[in-house]
Amino acid sequence: DAKTTQPPSMDCAEGRAANLPCNHSTISGNEYVYWYRQIHSQGPQYIIHGLKNNETNEMASLIITEDRKSSTLILPHATLRDTAVYYCIVGYSTLTFGKGTMLLVSP
Amino acid sequence: EAGVAQSPRYKIIEKRQSVAFWCNPISGHATLYWYQQILGQGPKLLIQFQNNGVVDDSQLPKDRFSAERLKGVDSTLKIQPAKLEDSAVYLCASSLVKLGGPPGENEQFFGPGTRLTVL
């Protein structure tokens, strides 16, 4: 079973920030938090990962709580092309995908 | 940089027939993965190769599925005989991660997948 809990769907207006939550209360000390997304009819795409500290790259920011039991992926200015299923995954070297969050960005 | 290549993109077969999928990973990527994604679900790892050796095949239905990675580059996944429940998208991914290496290098690059329909 997946070790993460995500809402099944979320909506976001174009140009606004999209904040996608993820609970991972059973995360182990050496496990990372990875985020991938999957646009319709494509393979998953890596977004970002982190261990303890918050991380930022050109695509998104990852905020991990101090107790590491939850995290939030932030897309600062969502566009229509960000509509996808977003997967939050915890692990070390193997990725176990859950059902993810379907993010719908609307005009 | 070329991405992960897969072929065919689509395949329709009848149950009990055989089918094979091909994957060419990103050049230099030592690790190769095959995933099965059933409609409405996330991808499920079937098998992981490190160079030409199998690292993890615990979720591969070995009575009908087989995979090989000759010379540590290209890989093929075969189903023989196919069942209706094998209808899915089969995804290939590759990465630079090495066993015991920093997990931060575990960015997996996925191909477009092969959509299999078993009638």
Side-chain angles (χ1 to χ4, degrees):
Chain A
D1 291 339
K3 296 186 282 187
T4 62
T5 303
Q6 298 179 254
S9 64
M10 293 184 63
D11 295 323
C12 180
E14 188 178 21
R16 304 296 295 267
N19 297 283
L20 290 87
C22 179
N23 288 321
H24 32 78
S25 58
T26 61
I27 189 170
S28 300
N30 64 345
E31 289 184 316
Y32 279 64
V33 179
Y34 298 91
W35 283 84
Y36 281 73
R37 73 179 182 183
Q38 188 171 24
I39 296 170
H40 183 62
S41 296
Q42 296 182 20
Q45 175 192 24
Y46 167 84
I47 302 173
I48 198 167
H49 76 279
L51 183 61
K52 295 181 181 180
N53 300 322
N54 299 336
E55 302 288 344
T56 296
N57 63 20
E58 66 278 4
M59 290 183 67
S61 294
L62 173 60
I63 309 297
I64 303 174
T65 58
E66 191 169 347
D67 63 8
R68 303 212 319 129
K69 292 184 177 182
S70 66
S71 60
T72 301
L73 179 73
I74 301 173
L75 307 178
H77 305 286
T79 70
L80 299 180
R81 287 182 290 183
D82 291 323
T83 291
V85 177
Y86 287 77
Y87 297 100
C88 171
I89 302 162
V90 296
Y92 186 78
S93 62
T94 300
L95 301 180
T96 300
F97 289 80
K99 293 188 175 182
T101 296
M102 176 64 217
L103 175 68
L104 176 62
V105 181
S106 302
Chain B
E1 179 181 78
V4 176
Q6 291 189 247
S7 68
R9 290 296 313 277
Y10 304 92
K11 189 72 177 180
I12 300 174
I13 62 173
E14 295 188 350
K15 60 183 179 183
R16 291 187 288 275
Q17 287 188 322
S18 301
V19 64
F21 313 125
W22 173 81
C23 172
N24 181 238
I26 293 173
S27 178
H29 281 195
T31 308
L32 185 147
Y33 313 79
W34 282 102
Y35 290 84
Q36 179 193 58
Q37 186 171 24
I38 293 172
L39 187 64
Q41 299 182 19
K44 181 183 82 171
L45 179 68
L46 292 176
I47 189 167
Q48 177 183 343
F49 291 94
Q50 175 77 7
N51 296 309
N52 61 349
V54 175
V55 173
D56 180 1
D57 64 356
S58 57
Q59 298 195 84
L60 186 73
K62 299 180 185 63
D63 57 334
R64 298 183 300 106
F65 286 64
S66 65
E68 61 182 7
R69 190 182 184 195
L70 298 177
K71 301 180 181 179
V73 181
D74 294 4
S75 178
T76 56
L77 177 69
K78 297 179 181 178
I79 307 175
Q80 179 179 9
K83 293 185 175 181
L84 297 178
E85 58 262 35
D86 298 332
S87 293
V89 175
Y90 290 84
L91 295 159
C92 179
S94 68
S95 71
L96 281 169
V97 67
K98 298 180 181 180
L99 285 179
E105 294 182 37
N106 192 28
E107 177 181 351
Q108 294 186 24
F109 295 83
F110 285 79
T114 297
R115 182 175 298 276
L116 173 67
T117 301
V118 182
L119 304 176

